[in-house]
Amino acid sequence: TSPVTYQGASTDGSKVFFTSEQPLVAGDTDSTSNLYECGLPGDYGTPPARSYKVNPCPDLLRLSIPVPGSSAGAEVQSVAAVSRDGSHVYFIARGVLSGANAEHNSPTQGQDNLYVWERGRTAFIATLSVAAFKLGEAQATPDGEQLVFTSSADLTADDTSTVSQVFLYEAQHEALVRVSKGQDGFNEDGNTTTDPAYISSGGEF
């Protein structure tokens, strides 16, 4: 009864991700925007067959679940990137969906918190200072283990700038590093507005 917004899918079509404000799974009473995964058989590259009947999703999961004890909703804002196999989904939500990260920083209720959902768990990456990413504005590796994005927020201890910096997140180690660093302090230690899409195409900064 509420609109849904398509957010991405795995390349074989076996996982489709979308957001909706309508609670769709048992026990879900959150009326804010939530992120869901619909698991499907997948077409494995074969031509799709025409169907005259729409079937319900055989395997529906809610990925944006607030931490126990939280009275606020997930408030998912956008999806930044989806890995090719659908194992990693990077998204932004204003709710508190996990505990502290490896740098001992915690998500902030009501702020644009960047998360990654991977293989059944949600990890907090950083709290951003600007509007949420749109799909494609951050670049993930095919397996989803790394994400490259820009932000003007001071997300790491070595960043004290007021301009956009390029950051790399490594999901396996839950590590966030700033990669736009100038050698020996050159150019005010690498202050940059380089777009990750340019980096992924082989550009230099």
Side-chain angles (χ1 to χ4, degrees):
T1 58
S2 297
V4 300
T5 302
Y6 170 78
Q7 298 289 358
S10 59
T11 54
D12 66 355
S14 64
K15 297 180 180 180
V16 178
F17 303 94
F18 64 93
T19 52
S20 177
E21 293 183 357
Q22 178 177 334
L24 296 176
V25 297
D28 182 4
T29 59
D30 184 1
S31 60
T32 69
S33 179
N34 273 273
L35 177 63
Y36 295 92
E37 175 195 300
C38 176
L40 301 168
D43 56 30
Y44 301 100
T46 59
R50 180 178 295 275
S51 175
Y52 297 95
K53 181 180 179 181
V54 177
N55 297 318
C57 177
D59 188 9
L60 184 63
L61 297 175
R62 178 189 176 198
L63 307 186
S64 53
I65 302 177
V67 296
S70 175
S71 59
E75 292 190 72
V76 175
Q77 302 300 298
S78 67
V79 171
V82 176
S83 65
R84 289 183 180 177
D85 61 358
S87 63
H88 293 69
V89 183
Y90 292 89
F91 66 99
I92 295 173
R94 291 179 177 170
V96 177
L97 310 184
S98 73
N101 59 17
E103 287 80 28
H104 307 293
N105 296 319
S106 299
T108 303
Q109 181 68 49
Q111 299 297 315
D112 289 327
N113 304 300
L114 178 61
Y115 297 97
V116 58
W117 183 91
E118 56 169 328
R119 300 180 178 90
R121 63 182 296 269
T122 300
F124 169 64
I125 299 174
T127 298
L128 308 178
S129 62
V130 294
F133 294 126
K134 295 179 181 179
L135 187 64
E137 290 184 347
Q139 298 291 321
T141 53
D143 61 3
E145 286 292 339
Q146 288 85 30
L147 179 77
V148 177
F149 63 97
T150 59
S151 176
S152 59
D154 296 341
L155 303 184
T156 56
D158 62 347
D159 181 15
T160 59
S161 69
T162 58
V163 299
S164 292
Q165 299 280 341
V166 181
F167 296 93
L168 168 67
Y169 178 74
E170 296 182 337
Q172 181 177 359
H173 305 290
E174 297 187 17
L176 180 66
V177 296
R178 181 169 64 100
V179 298
S180 52
K181 297 181 180 181
Q183 183 176 356
D184 298 327
F186 177 74
N187 193 24
E188 298 182 359
D189 198 18
N191 292 343
T192 180
T193 55
T194 301
D195 191 296
Y198 177 67
I199 298 175
S200 67
S201 65
E204 297 180 352
F205 63 91

